Amino acid sequence: MIGSVTLALTSLSLSSDAFAAALARGAADPAARSWRAMRVGAVFGLTEGLMCLAGWALARLAGHWITAVDHWVALILLAGIGGLMIRNGLGGEADEAAETAGPRGIAGTVVTALGTSIDAAAVGVALALAGGPAWSALAIGATSFAMASLGYRIGPKVAERLGGVAEIAGGAVLILIGLSIFVSHVTAG
């Protein structure tokens, strides 16, 4: 069984990726308002919570198959969206079509959230194998919601101080998160 302190620390550590990714996304949106931050937070929170729950449920069926590929999925998703952010940051003024198709829309938010939530699925597997309850996913999702909302909301202030470098840095952070997930999974097994 998992204790409440362990669950709180796990929730906070999982939400750090969501916070960093939402901060990068908010830095790319100079008009980030509270309602947008809540929407981005909801996407990250729901994705983290549902991925944790999915990992928990799938661990009951086939835990060893999931951990064999989760790090590849995270690396591909986060490197792809991070690369797009870097390209947009280096490109200066992007045309409207490229901006809509790029990582700034809701689809980009979902892809980013999926990339950062791969670890939540892995934690869900670990929770299930350790006898943790399925409702732990709720705490993880709620924490990620709060942290991602905060990250997105303060993103423009970070961008204001860093100028055009913020989007490039945000893309690099996403790539580094993907690499970190990949390396930690490859070297752990």
Side-chain angles (χ1 to χ4, degrees):
M1 196 64 165
I2 185 171
S4 58
V5 172
T6 302
L7 179 59
L9 291 175
T10 301
S11 297
L12 281 172
S13 67
L14 282 175
S15 71
S16 65
D17 285 356
F19 173 81
L23 180 73
R25 295 191 65 71
D29 182 6
R33 302 282 183 248
S34 294
W35 69 269
R36 284 186 189 165
M38 300 289 275
R39 185 180 73 187
V40 168
V43 170
F44 277 95
L46 282 171
T47 304
E48 291 273 342
L50 290 174
M51 288 293 277
C52 182
L53 186 59
W56 185 90
L58 289 174
R60 301 293 185 178
L61 301 173
H64 63 283
W65 291 339
I66 298 164
T67 57
V69 298
D70 64 350
H71 52 285
W72 283 105
V73 173
L75 178 64
I76 291 166
L77 289 174
L78 292 174
I81 201 76
L84 286 173
M85 289 178 73
I86 290 170
R87 187 185 74 191
N88 287 345
L90 291 173
E93 292 297 319
D95 62 30
E96 196 169 316
E99 212 166 286
T100 304
R104 290 192 181 114
I106 189 70
T109 302
V110 170
V111 170
T112 304
L114 284 171
T116 60
S117 69
I118 299 298
D119 273 0
V123 167
V125 169
L127 284 171
L129 297 176
W135 61 262
S136 299
L138 181 62
I140 289 169
T143 304
S144 292
F145 165 75
M147 294 299 288
S149 295
L150 174 65
Y152 190 85
R153 188 66 176 103
I154 66 173
K157 291 179 184 12
V158 171
E160 202 174 281
R161 293 190 180 206
L162 295 178
V165 175
E167 191 166 10
I168 295 168
V173 165
L174 291 183
I175 292 170
L176 290 173
I177 290 169
L179 286 171
S180 172
I181 292 168
F182 181 80
V183 169
S184 70
H185 286 227
V186 170
T187 58

